[in-house]
C-alpha cells in the first residue's frame, strides 16, 4: 500500500517545487519520515508515491487529515 499525493497544477512554484521535492525526498532517509517510493510526470500530472503510514503522518496529527489529499493504492 502506498500514499499518492497529486501536486497542484496552479501551485505558486509549479515544476520547480516538484523537482525539489523529488530530489530532497529521494536523498532523505529517516525512520520517522515517510519514504518516497516513486513519482509520475505524465503530461501536466505530477504525482508523488510515498510509503503508506497507517497511523497517519505528522502533518495529519498537527493539521488534520483534510489538510492534504492522500489516496491509498495497492503497490
Amino acid at each position: 500500500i502506498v500514499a499518492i499525493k497529486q501536486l497542484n497544477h496552479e501551485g505558486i512554484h509549479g515544476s520547480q517545487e516538484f523537482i525539489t521535492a523529488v530530489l530532497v525526498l529521494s536523498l532523505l532517509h529517516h525512520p520517522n519520515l515517510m519514504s518516497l517510493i516513486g513519482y509520475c510526470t505524465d503530461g501536466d500530472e505530477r504525482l508523488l508515491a510515498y510509503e503508506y503510514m497507517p497511523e497517519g503522518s505528522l502533518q495529519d496529527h498537527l493539521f488534520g487529515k483534510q489538510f492534504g489529499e492522500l489516496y491509498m493504492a495497492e503497490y
Side-chain angles (χ1 to χ4, degrees):
I1 296 178
V2 297
I4 304 296
K5 180 176 183 180
Q6 181 178 20
L7 298 179
N8 186 353
H9 296 256
E10 308 298 323
I12 296 171
H13 304 291
S15 294
Q16 186 62 40
E17 181 180 13
F18 178 77
I19 292 168
T20 301
V22 170
L23 290 173
V24 169
L25 293 170
S26 63
L27 295 173
L28 189 64
H29 300 284
H30 189 277
N32 294 332
L33 299 174
M34 61 184 157
S35 300
L36 179 68
I37 294 174
Y39 62 92
C40 174
T41 58
D42 185 24
D44 289 339
E45 290 295 327
R46 299 293 182 262
L47 305 173
L48 297 173
Y50 295 99
E51 169 188 10
Y52 177 69
M53 300 176 74
E55 299 297 321
S57 67
L58 177 60
Q59 178 176 303
D60 293 341
H61 290 284
L62 292 176
F63 303 108
K65 292 191 185 252
Q66 73 281 0
F67 186 75
E69 292 185 35
L70 291 177
Y71 304 96
M72 292 191 320
E74 292 292 325
Y75 181 70

